[in-house]
Amino acid sequence: MQILGILQADSAKLALVLDMSIVDARFEVQLLMAQILQVNRAWLIAHDDEILSVSDFALYQQYLQRRLQGEPIAYIFGEKEFYGMTFKVTPDVLIPRPDTELLVELALLNIPEDKRLRVLDLGTGSGAIAISIANARPLTQVVAVDKSPAAIAVAQTNAALLGVINIDFVVSDWWQQLPEGNKFDLIVSNPPYIVENDDHLKKLHFEPISALTAGVTGLDDLRLIIDSAAHFMTAGGHILLEHGYDQADVVQGLLTTAGFKNVKSERDLGGVERVTLGQVG
Ligand SMILES: C[S@@+](CC[C@H](N)C(=O)[O-])C[C@H]1O[C@@H](n2cnc3c(N)ncnc32)[C@H](O)[C@@H]1O
């Protein structure tokens, strides 16, 4: 079959089944096809009169069926780009989101290139945040924590594939398995913060629920992190927390109550207060 005909028919099908715009659906089927042919979208558009081989069409159909079931493209391809690097992702880890790049950018603003700071990433998942920071600041020593051994295995693989060595991985339930006496100059976290039974979860059912929800208010994990953070931080150290679109005020309050100063929130590209920062008093 001709590429153009396949793309047109399947864009319409995907848009209908997943209730997305035809523009987004066309972009996605182009991505699936481009991945199989190992070309970019520009090539695909310029060569849409070509005929797909039987084996390529069969593989494309497999990918398309998975996407029609709602599986995210990142899981189908097994990878996701984040902060300029490609991360391996499996269903054991959350797919890193573009919004989370704000957390990395803000963290780097607080890590001078010539300083040997210690950085902690709580809930590292694929390792996207920890590895991006470690890669951009080779003098830092980063510790990446997750409760899920499977997630830690993915993060370790990513660090190895990307050649990032200034990072250690620890399986830990937040602070519990971190050795006593560990102190960090900067702590970052994108913890679970979605309210249990939130409607948005229906669209996220391929991703690990343990990476997404945090009790009936969505604040359980943020509270656990904030309550003990200062104990693990050096004087003047910074904490940066990603949270939900409507949680900035409450996270600011939690940090202030816990004794942090210079508490403020920063907006993501969509204008949403997405990351809240504080400094040990
Ligand atoms: C929202 S995901 C963030 C993943 C990654 N940092 C990112 O930004 O793409 C939250 C992560 O926290 C981890 N997590 C959940 N509960 C935890 C706990 N009690 N202790 C440590 N990690 C936990 C999950 O396994 C998951 O990898």
Side-chain angles (χ1 to χ4, degrees), residues 118-181:
R118 296 198 75 222
V119 174
L120 175 66
D121 175 26
L122 288 169
T124 200
S126 64
I129 298 169
I131 293 169
S132 298
I133 292 173
N135 182 59
R137 294 288 184 272
L139 290 184
T140 59
Q141 189 57 42
V142 178
V143 175
V145 162
D146 207 288
K147 189 168 80 169
S148 157
I152 287 291
V154 173
Q156 283 175 315
T157 301
N158 277 321
L161 289 172
L162 293 164
V164 176
I165 55 170
N166 50 326
I167 183 163
D168 293 313
F169 296 92
V170 181
V171 176
S172 174
D173 184 351
W174 298 135
W175 311 102
Q176 287 185 28
Q177 283 77 36
L178 273 181
E180 189 57 33

Side-chain angles (χ1 to χ4, degrees), residues 39-72:
V39 297
N40 59 29
R41 286 178 56 245
W43 185 97
L44 208 56
I45 292 162
H47 297 81
D48 62 6
D49 55 343
E50 294 201 9
I51 305 293
L52 214 55
S53 73
V54 173
S55 58
D56 284 343
F57 184 65
L59 186 55
Y60 167 78
Q61 279 301 323
Q62 280 180 26
Y63 280 13
L64 180 71
Q65 290 312 315
R66 290 172 67 180
R67 187 65 193 115
L68 285 167
Q69 305 289 319
E71 185 172 351

Side-chain angles (χ1 to χ4, degrees), residues 58-264:
L59 186 55
Y60 167 78
Q61 279 301 323
Q62 280 180 26
Y63 280 13
L64 180 71
Q65 290 312 315
R66 290 172 67 180
R67 187 65 193 115
L68 285 167
Q69 305 289 319
E71 185 172 351
I73 285 193
Y75 287 151
I76 298 172
F77 292 171
E79 62 183 36
K80 175 75 180 174
E81 193 270 345
F82 179 85
Y83 211 70
M85 291 185 288
T86 300
F87 289 84
K88 175 179 149 69
V89 292
T90 74
D92 290 314
V93 298
L94 187 95
I95 299 164
R97 306 294 203 265
D99 285 344
T100 301
E101 292 184 353
L102 173 67
L103 187 62
V104 174
E105 280 164 14
L106 293 170
L108 294 178
L109 288 177
N110 286 290
I111 309 174
E113 289 191 34
D114 58 346
K115 290 268 165 44
R116 295 182 178 277
L117 299 190
R118 296 198 75 222
V119 174
L120 175 66
D121 175 26
L122 288 169
T124 200
S126 64
I129 298 169
I131 293 169
S132 298
I133 292 173
N135 182 59
R137 294 288 184 272
L139 290 184
T140 59
Q141 189 57 42
V142 178
V143 175
V145 162
D146 207 288
K147 189 168 80 169
S148 157
I152 287 291
V154 173
Q156 283 175 315
T157 301
N158 277 321
L161 289 172
L162 293 164
V164 176
I165 55 170
N166 50 326
I167 183 163
D168 293 313
F169 296 92
V170 181
V171 176
S172 174
D173 184 351
W174 298 135
W175 311 102
Q176 287 185 28
Q177 283 77 36
L178 273 181
E180 189 57 33
N182 257 276
K183 297 274 184 193
F184 297 92
D185 304 294
L186 187 132
I187 294 178
V188 286
S189 184
N190 173 21
Y193 54 69
I194 300 179
V195 173
E196 276 172 16
N197 302 324
D198 188 297
D199 270 355
H200 293 98
L201 294 170
K202 288 185 196 127
K203 285 199 166 176
L204 302 173
H205 66 278
F206 278 88
E207 299 190 74
I209 193 79
S210 55
L212 295 168
T213 60
V216 290
T217 61
L219 295 168
D220 288 7
D221 291 303
L222 282 158
R223 280 183 202 279
L224 286 169
I225 289 169
I226 292 169
D227 283 353
S228 298
H231 181 68
F232 288 89
M233 295 174 74
T234 55
H238 291 86
I239 185 164
L240 292 82
L241 300 168
E242 180 170 324
H243 49 69
Y245 71 97
D246 56 354
Q247 293 172 334
D249 284 351
V250 66
V251 173
Q252 285 189 17
L254 291 171
L255 283 169
T256 305
T257 304
F260 286 87
K261 60 179 189 183
N262 299 329
V263 173
K264 60 177 178 177

